[in-house]
Amino acid sequence: MFAPSSPLPCAPLQPLRFDWLQAAGVEAAILRLDLVDPLISGNKWFKLKHHLAAAEQAGARGVISLGGAHSNHLHALAAAGKRFGFATVGLVRGHAVETPTVLDLQAFGMELHWLGYAGYRARHDADFWLPWRERYPHLFPVPEGGGGLAGAMGCAEIVEQARSQLGVLGWEDYDCWWLACGTGTTLAGLVLAEAGQHAVIGAMAVPEGHGVESNVDALLREGSRPCAKWTTEISEYADPAKSSCLKSRPPYSLLDASLGAFAKTDAQLLDFIRSCERESGIPFEPIYTGKALLALKQSVQEGRFAIGTRLIFIHSGGLQGRRSTDVAADLRVSPPT
């Protein structure tokens, strides 16, 4: 029933050519997670894989999870439920509104409960899930955004997807990863899979102080224990000795790409996205990938990368969410290439 637990679609790895990269002597490729599926898009396939496998193993008839009225996570989860025939329930931040995302959730058959803002803030309380488990004993709870170690280890598979395609680029190796971060779950998965072999740089979509670093560190501590459940999942492309015991802080770094607030945009960002879309034919959205790409350009132009650096930029999807932003009229989604 929970078919996304099967092998994941392969995201194409494509050259990323912009004038500002070429001027700095930096080579980049983009891993197009936005192309893995039209609805269960981006990194959501990877985050959901182990959660849905656990739901199936538990004998659940569906899943229950949390998110906002524009949530990429709830959108992917609801789409998976409709496609593969399992029930979905969404606990939604705020009060009832109609957004393109919400309309899709309802069309996919997801049952929605609006928690208000105070109710949603209580999601970290120890007893938050008790009434929902009593009301829906047949449903499996999935963390907000598909997070947790299960979500991170699903994202660990992204590393092998990219490595298996390096020959298409004529690369034997690469120097680092660059990706947008919301909770840091995807970044943690990459760090665990890399086991110290390559640096991972996260451009945060939320300002500093929103717990991204603490969440990443917690996932890395949990995932690096010798007895960790998911350790053997990455043995094919990481040294098992390293991946089972990360004794020092793994090579990752975070930078603030939020422009001061989550989902905040400005004219510079929107102009930049329009320019990049014209030049590359690749669609971006302004909440995650657009901000991450702008932060990369700024870092490149500041000379933070040596000539000859090769990096992989992750397109984490999220294009459905840009229909709901205030800039939807300014940014038209380009056809996938």
Side-chain angles (χ1 to χ4, degrees):
M1 178 175 65
F2 295 92
S5 62
S6 61
L8 300 177
C10 188
L13 183 67
Q14 302 172 346
L16 191 61
R17 298 186 178 94
F18 293 117
D19 292 343
W20 44 273
L21 287 170
Q22 295 176 5
V26 174
E27 294 184 68
I30 182 168
L31 189 64
R32 298 288 304 276
L33 300 186
D34 58 309
L35 297 181
V36 298
D37 189 274
L39 293 176
I40 312 170
S41 178
N43 57 354
K44 301 309 176 188
W45 263 106
F46 301 85
K47 285 186 175 183
L48 289 176
K49 176 179 178 178
H50 292 305
H51 286 299
L52 296 182
E56 188 166 41
Q57 185 175 7
R61 297 204 298 270
V63 296
I64 180 170
S65 194
L66 310 93
H70 313 293
S71 170
N72 294 319
H73 165 64
L74 288 185
H75 193 270
L77 195 59
K82 181 172 179 60
R83 183 181 301 175
F84 302 114
F86 59 86
T88 56
V89 172
L91 308 179
V92 191
R93 180 178 60 246
H95 305 287
V97 294
E98 278 195 358
T99 68
T101 302
V102 168
L103 292 175
D104 280 353
L105 300 182
Q106 294 169 333
F108 294 151
M110 175 175 273
E111 182 181 348
L112 303 181
H113 296 278
W114 297 86
L115 303 184
Y117 293 99
Y120 198 81
R121 284 194 296 270
R123 68 193 183 280
H124 300 303
D125 294 351
D127 59 351
F128 172 82
W129 281 106
L130 291 178
W132 299 108
R133 293 301 300 268
E134 292 176 359
R135 182 167 180 172
Y136 297 104
H138 58 290
L139 299 184
F140 187 86
V142 173
E144 180 181 24
L149 183 60
M153 293 316 303
C155 292
E157 298 187 27
I158 293 171
V159 171
E160 178 57 23
Q161 286 211 1
R163 288 184 179 179
S164 68
Q165 299 179 74
L166 291 178
V168 175
L169 305 174
W171 293 7
E172 294 184 358
D173 202 357
Y174 55 96
D175 297 294
C176 64
W177 295 85
W178 189 283
L179 70 156
C181 288
T183 63
T185 302
T186 303
L187 179 142
L190 298 185
V191 174
L192 287 168
E194 284 287 0
Q197 297 177 58
H198 301 92
V200 184
I201 304 170
M204 294 190 297
V206 296
E208 293 182 7
H210 278 63
V212 177
E213 184 171 8
S214 60
N215 184 53
V216 171
D217 287 343
L219 290 171
L220 296 181
R221 286 194 300 271
E222 186 179 2
S224 63
R225 295 171 185 165
C227 58
K229 179 178 180 182
W230 306 107
T231 296
T232 57
E233 298 284 343
I234 61 175
S235 61
E236 292 183 6
Y237 47 89
D239 181 343
K242 292 181 180 179
S243 62
S244 64
C245 187
L246 296 172
K247 296 180 179 179
S248 60
R249 182 188 176 98
Y252 85 88
S253 59
L254 297 170
L255 57 91
D256 187 348
S258 69
L259 302 183
F262 178 67
K264 181 179 179 181
T265 63
D266 60 20
Q268 178 191 12
L269 173 65
L270 301 183
D271 288 344
F272 172 72
I273 293 175
R274 280 190 288 268
S275 174
C276 289
E277 290 189 347
R278 285 193 300 268
E279 192 171 350
S280 69
I282 300 172
F284 297 95
E285 45 74 42
I287 310 304
Y288 295 102
T289 54
K291 287 184 176 179
L293 194 60
L294 178 59
L296 175 59
K297 178 185 179 182
Q298 293 167 342
S299 293
V300 166
Q301 292 183 330
E302 289 168 1
R304 297 186 179 184
F305 293 98
I307 294 174
T309 296
R310 288 175 169 172
L311 64 87
I312 299 175
F313 181 95
I314 293 182
H315 193 314
S316 53
L319 296 176
Q320 73 81 26
R322 87 182 206 170
R323 301 172 302 168
S324 303
T325 66
D326 293 336
V327 299
D330 296 314
L331 292 175
R332 298 182 182 276
V333 178
S334 306
T337 58

